[in-house]
Amino acid sequence: MISLVRRPGDQIAEANRLLVKEYGTASNIKSHVNRLSVLSAITSAQQCLKHYPRTPKNGLVVFCGTILTDEGKEKKVGIHFEPFKPINTTLYMCDNKFHVDALQELLENDSSFGFIIIDGNGCLFGRVTGNTREIITQFTVDLPKKHGRGGQSAARFGRIRMEKRQHYVRKVTEHAVSSFISSSTNMVTETGIVVAGSAEFKHELQKSDLLDPRIRAKIIDTIDVSYGGVNGFDQAITLSQAALSNVKLVQESKLIGKFFDELALDTGKYAYGVQSTLKALDMRVIETLIVWENLDVNRVVLHRPDGTEVERFLTPTEEADRSNYLDSETGVELEFQERMPLLEWLAEVYKEKGAQLELITDCSTLGSQFVKGFGGIGALLRYKMDMAQLDENEDNDMYYDLDEEVEEDNEDEDGYFF
């Protein structure tokens, strides 16, 4: 199996030359079966590259090879696509599996952090999203230095120096607005902003009345770096890792804290557990869906003898229990159709249900309480619902009849809205 990943800016011709070289190397594989499989995968990868005259702006990912289907049959696949955001990895691997680590890193964190690197020589504005670094804009400045010359004009030289420093700070604040505030929403686009520099300018900037209050409110850390420009940007990223991780934990704690507040006040605007949460999701009353990122529950779809489908949500232990594959009414064993991790299924359907999905960890105290006490899944609702009453009306808390769900959706289309 061939895994090929190219960063934005990489040349397609370079990838083609790499594949030609690998084709020559693979021709010397002694095993006839392995040699044909590798040569076939490399040829498929070369065909995929022909679709791209240049590397897309977010990079390029190609997977080619022979896989085994669920029926045990071999199938040749050739998958190529542009990632949904810039990828920061160049990779070529020939292995018995596809390497998707670079894609998993893109999914780990969507938070974006802004950086302002300022000193007496210039200023750089950058952005870090996941493992991707972007320079938004930068400029240099030539400021007069302190000196003891000038005689009677020394005071005038001092005023000129202070005026130029003030103009420089003003220019930095203007660039900060254009770099980090959206013109359409008038809101800061970054989760947090780090100010770094090797001199006093970073402190002068934060104290200045010219700095936009929206940006000032988003500053999460101030860092001393030894350099300016790109080198200072790289150093600031390294030194700010603890602050950036704390921002995510703080946001996570606020979200779970809100959930616990609703629970303590018994407002009815909450749901927890697989059954109650999924029922609320079907009713489209969930505003924020909160799910533990390591939730170990699968969505299993089964067939009844009459052709209707049933979906059940089972843990690995429950999946090993054959009684969960029996019809609750007739006791007949149901036919297995498909299995999918519940988290993956929720990621596909939450937008259709009008909800916002938030993944949490168990690293914080509140996160650990949520996972251990509520099963790692819950929701904040738009309005009050009696979830306990709904639970009592369910025949079985492990599955729903998909045909009934389809009928409910048809009623929605006829004009009935939740």
Side-chain angles (χ1 to χ4, degrees):
M1 295 181 178
I2 299 296
S3 304
L4 180 66
V5 180
R6 310 303 292 178
R7 292 178 299 185
D10 287 352
Q11 299 296 319
I12 294 294
E14 182 182 347
N16 277 316
R17 285 195 296 270
L18 173 64
L19 292 176
V20 170
K21 180 181 178 181
E22 292 295 329
Y23 191 95
T25 303
S27 301
N28 298 322
I29 297 176
K30 293 183 178 180
S31 172
H32 178 70
V33 175
N34 289 346
R35 182 173 67 251
L36 291 181
S37 297
V38 174
L39 293 178
S40 174
I42 293 176
T43 302
S44 298
Q46 290 173 324
Q47 294 298 321
C48 291
L49 290 181
K50 291 182 178 180
H51 293 84
Y52 301 92
R54 64 183 62 85
T55 304
K57 65 177 182 178
N58 289 338
L60 178 63
V61 178
V62 179
F63 296 122
C64 294
T66 303
I67 63 173
L68 286 177
T69 63
D70 294 336
E71 292 79 19
K73 298 180 181 179
E74 291 188 349
K75 178 182 178 181
K76 291 184 178 180
V77 295
I79 304 170
H80 54 92
F81 59 92
E82 177 187 357
F84 66 96
K85 62 182 181 181
I87 195 166
N88 195 33
T89 304
T90 295
L91 171 73
Y92 171 83
M93 291 291 292
C94 180
D95 203 348
N96 60 353
K97 63 180 180 180
F98 292 132
H99 290 259
V100 297
D101 295 344
L103 296 177
Q104 289 176 337
E105 290 177 359
L106 296 182
L107 298 173
E108 285 180 358
N109 193 355
D110 288 332
S111 298
S112 177
F113 295 92
F115 282 77
I116 302 176
I117 315 299
I118 181 172
D119 61 12
N121 298 316
C123 188
L124 179 145
F125 296 86
R127 177 181 293 116
V128 173
T129 305
N131 65 344
T132 303
R133 186 201 70 174
E134 174 192 0
I135 297 176
I136 303 173
T137 185
Q138 60 181 325
F139 61 88
T140 58
V141 66
D142 184 15
L143 295 176
K145 304 294 188 291
K146 274 186 177 180
H147 58 79
R149 298 184 299 274
Q152 294 180 346
S153 300
R156 179 169 59 87
F157 289 155
R159 288 194 300 272
I160 293 174
R161 175 177 172 273
M162 295 305 298
E163 286 176 2
K164 289 192 174 182
R165 289 174 67 92
Q166 186 72 2
H167 288 317
Y168 175 42
V169 172
R170 180 187 297 274
K171 185 176 181 180
V172 171
T173 59
E174 291 173 352
H175 276 76
V177 171
S178 61
S179 298
F180 300 132
I181 295 183
S182 170
S183 57
S184 57
T185 63
N186 274 339
M187 300 292 290
V188 178
T189 57
E190 317 304 321
T191 303
I193 296 175
V194 176
V195 180
S198 58
E200 288 299 315
F201 270 115
K202 58 182 178 292
H203 300 299
E204 290 185 24
L205 175 63
Q206 296 183 65
K207 294 176 182 178
S208 174
D209 295 335
L210 300 173
L211 184 62
D212 193 295
R214 293 169 293 181
I215 292 179
R216 191 193 309 276
K218 287 289 185 176
I219 295 177
I220 59 174
D221 202 2
T222 303
I223 297 175
D224 287 308
V225 293
S226 304
Y227 314 97
V230 177
N231 291 334
F233 186 20
D234 292 337
Q235 188 179 14
I237 293 174
T238 303
L239 297 176
S240 63
Q241 291 303 309
L244 302 191
S245 61
N246 287 337
V247 169
K248 186 178 188 301
L249 290 178
V250 168
Q251 292 177 333
E252 177 181 299
S253 297
K254 286 182 178 179
L255 175 63
I256 302 175
K258 183 178 180 182
F259 174 85
F260 284 147
D261 288 343
E262 297 288 346
L263 190 65
L265 296 173
D266 196 20
T267 61
K269 297 172 64 177
Y270 59 86
Y272 57 86
V274 174
Q275 178 218 356
S276 297
T277 304
L278 293 179
K279 186 62 179 178
L281 186 66
D282 287 337
M283 297 175 68
R284 295 174 173 82
V285 297
I286 290 182
E287 182 175 8
T288 305
L289 179 61
I290 309 171
V291 186
W292 181 35
E293 63 181 7
N294 293 323
L295 183 67
D296 195 9
V297 177
N298 290 321
R299 174 181 179 266
V300 180
V301 179
L302 306 170
H303 265 159
R304 288 196 181 108
D306 60 2
T308 58
E309 292 184 342
V310 173
E311 64 177 355
R312 298 188 177 182
F313 303 94
L314 308 174
T315 64
T317 303
E318 292 168 340
E319 286 189 62
D321 185 356
R322 300 307 303 173
S323 64
N324 289 318
Y325 294 83
L326 302 179
D327 192 310
S328 59
E329 298 177 357
T330 63
V332 176
E333 185 172 355
L334 303 176
E335 179 185 355
F336 174 82
Q337 183 179 1
E338 66 174 338
R339 177 190 293 105
M340 177 186 292
L342 176 58
L343 182 57
E344 183 177 331
W345 179 74
L346 290 173
E348 293 180 358
V349 304
Y350 77 93
K351 288 185 179 180
E352 300 173 8
K353 305 295 186 179
Q356 177 181 350
L357 178 63
E358 294 288 348
L359 300 182
I360 63 147
T361 68
D362 58 353
C363 298
S364 64
T365 303
L366 291 179
S368 180
Q369 287 181 327
F370 181 81
V371 171
K372 294 177 180 179
F374 300 93
I377 181 170
L380 295 171
L381 309 184
R382 292 188 175 87
Y383 46 83
K384 182 176 180 178
M385 295 287 294
D386 189 352
M387 300 308 302
Q389 182 65 35
L390 290 174
D391 292 346
E392 292 176 1
N393 294 335
E394 288 294 319
D395 293 332
N396 192 313
D397 66 352
M398 300 303 296
Y399 68 91
Y400 304 114
D401 191 322
L402 295 186
D403 292 345
E404 293 178 1
E405 183 179 339
V406 170
E407 291 177 3
E408 291 177 1
D409 290 343
N410 291 337
E411 288 181 1
D412 293 346
E413 294 175 359
D414 292 337
Y416 296 90
F417 299 92
F418 292 107

